[in-house]
Amino acid sequence: VYFPLKTFSSQEFNNWGRMASTIRDVALRSGVSISTVSRVLNNTCAVAEDKRIRVENAARDLGYIPNPNARSLLHKKTGGVGILLPYVTGEFFSEFLTGVDETAKQNDLFLLISASHHMASEWQASVQSVYKRVDGLIVMAPQMTPRQLNLNADAPIVFVNSPVADKDKSSVDVIDFDNKGGVALAVQHLLDEGHRRFAYVRGPRLAFDAKLRLDGFIEAMAAAGLTDFSILEGGYDQEDGIEAAEAILKLSPRPTAVLAANDYCALGLLSGLSSGGVRVPEDCSLIGFDSVPSARYARPALTSVAVPIREVGVRAMQSVVRKIAEPDSTETVSVTLPVELVVRESTGPPSS
Amino acid sequence: VYFPLKTFSSQEFNNWGRMASTIRDVALRSGVSISTVSRVLNNTCAVAEDKRIRVENAARDLGYIPNPNARSLLHKKTGGVGILLPYVTGEFFSEFLTGVDETAKQNDLFLLISASHHMASEWQASVQSVYKRVDGLIVMAPQMTPRQLNLNADAPIVFVNSPVADKDKSSVDVIDFDNKGGVALAVQHLLDEGHRRFAYVRGPRLAFDAKLRLDGFIEAMAAAGLTDFSILEGGYDQEDGIEAAEAILKLSPRPTAVLAANDYCALGLLSGLSSGGVRVPEDCSLIGFDSVPSARYARPALTSVAVPIREVGVRAMQSVVRKIAEPDSTETVSVTLPVELVVRESTGPPSS
DNA sequence: CTGAAAGCGCTTACAG
DNA sequence: CTGAAAGCGCTTACAG
């Protein structure tokens, strides 16, 4: 049985402000024993009506809120979920967190967030900082190797957009979205428009999702029987796209369609190409990945693969909730959510 | 003296994964008393060298990490800071959190985040959910009234972008940025370009910052001796801007310059105006507020007031850290960070 | 129905 | 230098 850590409605006890009082204070004021106070407050077993009322009044008057640290010490439950992220910046992350937060609220869980664990040492520090403070963990670690992740934990873990080895998928939940398939969709759209000469900007070499997207591109080329394509270096930032654009301008013959591993890179390509006199989409079609808001406002608006990142957050939190509720279940979930191509003005048929 | 809650380097204890062990386990394994283990681990007073080594080995072998709940119960310190936000979505928020997180890491504090407290009841629930779990609080509550904020807390609070009444500024720290001044800068730029007929889209009526920005506009008009301006309804979303654009198209004579209370609204105006045949900036200049990334990518790129929101996060966390370190200090800080106008292509001189 | 007691995992005076 | 004891704030068998 999951013990209710939050017993009080906000209506009843809205005075965190007053001097913190303990259960002893409530007992003294209501003239009953500490045990009885506890029983009333937790509704744990029958208590004489008059005492119940006295206790409730005393608790309200004192603005009593139980100390969660003392409770956690007993139940080994905290009511919290830890979120471990590589960074905390950007639209991608904030969408994700929106889904997580919403689902946490529904289940009366609080969120403990630890970010910027790019290196293994920081990762360990992050993991430690939530030790015994949370009942479960949501981890997004696209740049860690499977070994570094150190899967054995004494709390349930759900991985999101992280390189979990296949053999580990039987021991942890994994929520993902279809990185490979997204690029395949993008390529297919361009093929349908008539494009045959492609370039792909690959994203950071260390990122797990960039690797999958690249694989998706290569497989899509193979499936289409195309060999006339270039793969270019470039990370996830606008600057990377601007640099990659220079490389593309030097290609001869020039590709008629360019794909980038994410939107910010694609937006950099957009300005880089137009600075170089290449019009998008007239001279060259362009597709990004993630469909961040900026993609929508760019001119031409950027065709991009939309990722259900909020939904990923919701599903991840739901998985954690399930694991917390059923600690003995050995069943694990591995989900890959579908993605969608959002076609905007940055794509069209090739000119010649 | 601030007690060091995190004693272990991540190098030494990287095995959260193993079965959680207690200080008793370490004592048993190393053959010393629990008190001695505690003293070694906390480096709290001299211990015989051989015992020290035995304890350190035992702790490492067992992957011992002290239970923070037990510690908090004693010190009344948690090592955490609570962040209370109205929502968790968008570029504004994520920049803020980046500054907060970075500064928290530097001070070895973890973050407990609670979002979406638009209503007073949710606010209370949020405040309660961090009770005794954090040593300090950063609060961003632009839509709460000063009364609802309930300033008395048993942990230091720093308010950010929130309507703190002047009389309360002697009891809490307030970190803000210059909402009023930002609009004044924007108006001045347009005046310098020669504009004399303005419209302003006011943002949500309940938001504290929108109110300040509106005041800034009205004061700037008064200072310039202008009476020929319109104030239009419209919230903070793109859709609001699109609607406001329709209202502007109906104005006669049409304003030559439009300001919006934030960027997303301005981006909506941008598309609404151009749909209505009004070219920006040729027929009408346009300025937003916040300078979100999307503003940069829009075409024409949006002139906007840049807010040092990451810096706000850093300063807020620094304030909390100071308050935690000096709990008896009655000194309070009230900072208003300067903003900056970023001029891009959406503004120019009036055509006639 | 109710109180005294033991215990969650830790730290810190208190006596050696 | 070191161990036994008390206590942080709570809950839960254990006896009435």
Side-chain angles (χ1 to χ4, degrees):
Chain A
V1 194
Y2 186 76
F3 193 86
L5 283 174
K6 296 181 188 165
T7 314
F8 310 115
S9 83
S10 56
Q11 296 301 346
E12 288 175 296
F13 299 95
N14 63 350
N15 25 23
W16 190 40
R18 311 196 191 171
M19 185 59 81
S21 53
T22 68
I23 194 170
R24 167 171 286 127
D25 300 327
V26 180
L28 254 42
R29 185 177 241 261
S30 54
V32 301
S33 73
I34 288 182
S35 347
T36 300
V37 174
S38 176
R39 287 192 271 256
V40 170
L41 265 27
N42 293 302
N43 215 340
T44 225
C45 51
V47 170
E49 188 57 15
D50 61 319
K51 302 205 180 185
R52 168 179 299 280
I53 291 177
R54 291 221 306 280
V55 168
E56 278 165 353
N57 288 337
R60 179 170 32 251
D61 293 350
L62 293 171
Y64 171 69
I65 302 175
N67 185 321
N69 299 120
R71 287 187 149 191
S72 300
L73 211 49
L74 296 177
H75 317 134
K76 281 102 175 63
K77 283 280 174 194
T78 63
V81 170
I83 319 290
L84 268 42
L85 300 155
Y87 54 86
V88 97
T89 315
E91 304 159 286
F92 185 84
F93 153 77
S94 98
E95 268 299 293
F96 171 71
L97 200 58
T98 301
V100 165
D101 180 71
E102 171 192 319
T103 313
K105 276 258 172 353
Q106 281 166 18
N107 291 279
D108 224 10
L109 293 163
F110 68 85
L111 256 36
L112 213 147
I113 295 193
S114 183
S116 53
H117 53 250
H118 291 288
M119 295 176 297
S121 64
E122 285 176 351
W123 162 258
Q124 295 296 349
S126 287
V127 169
Q128 265 186 51
S129 80
V130 299
Y131 172 79
K132 291 287 180 199
R133 280 196 251 258
V134 297
D135 302 332
L137 227 39
I138 295 177
V139 170
M140 182 154 98
Q143 307 220 10
M144 307 286 290
T145 65
R147 274 205 63 224
Q148 291 172 325
L149 287 176
N150 186 7
L151 291 178
N152 313 305
D154 77 342
I157 299 193
V158 175
F159 281 94
V160 167
N161 194 29
S162 302
V164 178
D166 277 337
K167 68 175 173 55
D168 292 321
K169 291 199 177 170
S170 57
S171 53
V172 292
D173 285 4
V174 181
I175 311 289
D176 248 315
F177 52 87
D178 194 2
N179 284 293
K180 266 192 182 182
V183 178
L185 285 178
V187 168
Q188 190 56 52
H189 176 70
L190 293 167
L191 288 171
D192 291 348
E193 294 273 22
H195 293 274
R196 291 295 176 272
R197 213 158 52 238
F198 292 83
Y200 184 83
V201 185
R202 61 179 293 165
R205 277 183 178 266
L206 292 177
F208 160 76
D209 45 12
K211 173 78 168 68
L212 286 181
R213 293 172 191 183
L214 175 60
D215 290 348
F217 176 73
I218 292 172
E219 287 175 20
M221 289 293 105
L226 292 179
T227 53
D228 191 6
F229 61 85
S230 323
I231 292 175
L232 303 161
E233 294 297 323
Y236 271 166
D237 298 322
Q238 192 190 12
E239 288 68 35
D240 299 310
I242 292 177
E243 276 180 40
E246 287 178 27
I248 288 171
L249 291 170
K250 286 181 196 142
L251 294 176
S252 174
R254 212 150 50 207
T256 68
V258 175
L259 298 97
N262 84 335
D263 278 348
Y264 287 112
C265 178
L267 290 169
L269 283 164
L270 190 56
S271 54
L273 290 174
S274 75
S275 306
V278 174
R279 295 166 304 162
V280 175
E282 293 82 355
D283 304 330
C284 180
S285 282
L286 177 64
I287 298 187
F289 205 117
D290 289 344
S291 199
V292 299
S294 295
R296 203 165 85 210
Y297 296 112
R299 288 293 169 271
L302 185 67
T303 293
S304 180
V305 179
V307 170
I309 185 64
R310 195 182 134 285
E311 173 75 7
V312 170
V314 170
R315 298 290 286 268
M317 185 53 88
Q318 285 172 342
S319 273
V320 170
V321 168
R322 194 177 57 76
K323 288 279 195 187
I324 292 175
E326 307 164 18
D328 299 322
S329 160
T330 58
E331 183 190 331
T332 61
V333 173
S334 188
V335 179
T336 301
L337 295 173
V339 298
E340 204 178 345
L341 186 70
V342 179
V343 178
R344 301 199 187 91
E345 291 93 64
S346 73
T347 46
S351 54
S352 53
Chain B
V1 196
Y2 185 78
F3 193 87
L5 282 175
K6 298 184 189 166
T7 313
F8 312 113
S9 82
S10 55
Q11 295 302 345
E12 288 176 295
F13 298 94
N14 62 351
N15 24 23
W16 191 41
R18 311 197 193 172
M19 185 57 81
S21 52
T22 68
I23 194 171
R24 166 171 286 126
D25 299 328
V26 179
L28 253 42
R29 186 178 242 261
S30 53
V32 302
S33 73
I34 287 183
S35 348
T36 300
V37 174
S38 177
R39 287 192 272 256
V40 170
L41 264 27
N42 292 304
N43 215 341
T44 225
C45 51
V47 170
E49 187 59 14
D50 61 319
K51 299 203 183 191
R52 169 179 299 281
I53 291 176
R54 289 221 305 280
V55 169
E56 279 166 351
N57 288 337
R60 177 169 33 252
D61 293 350
L62 293 170
Y64 171 69
I65 301 176
N67 185 321
N69 299 121
R71 286 186 149 190
S72 300
L73 210 50
L74 297 177
H75 318 135
K76 283 99 173 63
K77 284 279 173 192
T78 62
V81 170
I83 318 290
L84 268 41
L85 300 154
Y87 55 87
V88 95
T89 315
E91 304 161 286
F92 185 85
F93 154 76
S94 98
E95 269 296 301
F96 171 70
L97 200 58
T98 301
V100 165
D101 179 71
E102 171 191 318
T103 314
K105 275 258 172 355
Q106 281 167 18
N107 291 279
D108 224 10
L109 293 163
F110 68 85
L111 258 36
L112 213 148
I113 294 192
S114 183
S116 52
H117 52 251
H118 291 288
M119 295 176 297
S121 65
E122 285 176 352
W123 162 259
Q124 295 296 351
S126 287
V127 169
Q128 264 186 52
S129 81
V130 299
Y131 172 79
K132 291 289 181 198
R133 279 196 251 257
V134 297
D135 302 332
L137 226 38
I138 294 177
V139 170
M140 182 153 100
Q143 308 219 10
M144 307 288 288
T145 65
R147 273 205 63 224
Q148 291 172 324
L149 287 176
N150 186 8
L151 291 180
N152 314 304
D154 76 342
I157 299 193
V158 175
F159 281 95
V160 168
N161 194 30
S162 302
V164 178
D166 277 336
K167 69 175 174 56
D168 292 322
K169 292 201 176 170
S170 57
S171 53
V172 291
D173 286 4
V174 181
I175 311 289
D176 248 316
F177 52 87
D178 194 2
N179 284 293
K180 266 192 182 181
V183 178
L185 285 178
V187 169
Q188 191 55 54
H189 176 69
L190 293 167
L191 288 172
D192 291 346
E193 295 272 22
H195 293 276
R196 291 295 175 273
R197 214 159 50 241
F198 292 83
Y200 184 82
V201 186
R202 62 178 293 166
R205 279 182 178 265
L206 291 177
F208 160 76
D209 45 11
K211 173 76 168 71
L212 287 180
R213 293 172 192 184
L214 176 60
D215 290 348
F217 177 73
I218 292 172
E219 287 174 20
M221 288 293 105
L226 293 179
T227 53
D228 191 7
F229 61 86
S230 322
I231 293 176
L232 303 162
E233 294 297 325
Y236 271 166
D237 296 322
Q238 191 189 13
E239 288 67 35
D240 299 310
I242 291 176
E243 276 179 38
E246 287 179 27
I248 288 172
L249 291 170
K250 287 181 194 142
L251 293 177
S252 173
R254 211 150 48 209
T256 68
V258 175
L259 299 96
N262 84 335
D263 279 349
Y264 287 112
C265 178
L267 290 169
L269 283 164
L270 190 57
S271 53
L273 290 174
S274 77
S275 306
V278 174
R279 293 165 305 162
V280 175
E282 293 82 355
D283 304 330
C284 179
S285 281
L286 177 64
I287 298 188
F289 204 112
D290 289 344
S291 198
V292 298
S294 294
R296 204 165 85 211
Y297 297 112
R299 287 295 169 270
L302 184 67
T303 293
S304 180
V305 179
V307 169
I309 185 65
R310 198 183 131 286
E311 174 75 7
V312 170
V314 170
R315 297 290 286 269
M317 185 52 89
Q318 285 173 343
S319 274
V320 171
V321 168
R322 194 177 57 75
K323 289 278 195 188
I324 292 175
E326 308 165 18
D328 299 322
S329 160
T330 57
E331 183 191 332
T332 60
V333 174
S334 188
V335 179
T336 302
L337 295 174
V339 298
E340 203 179 345
L341 186 71
V342 179
V343 178
R344 302 199 186 92
E345 291 93 62
S346 72
T347 46
S351 54
S352 53

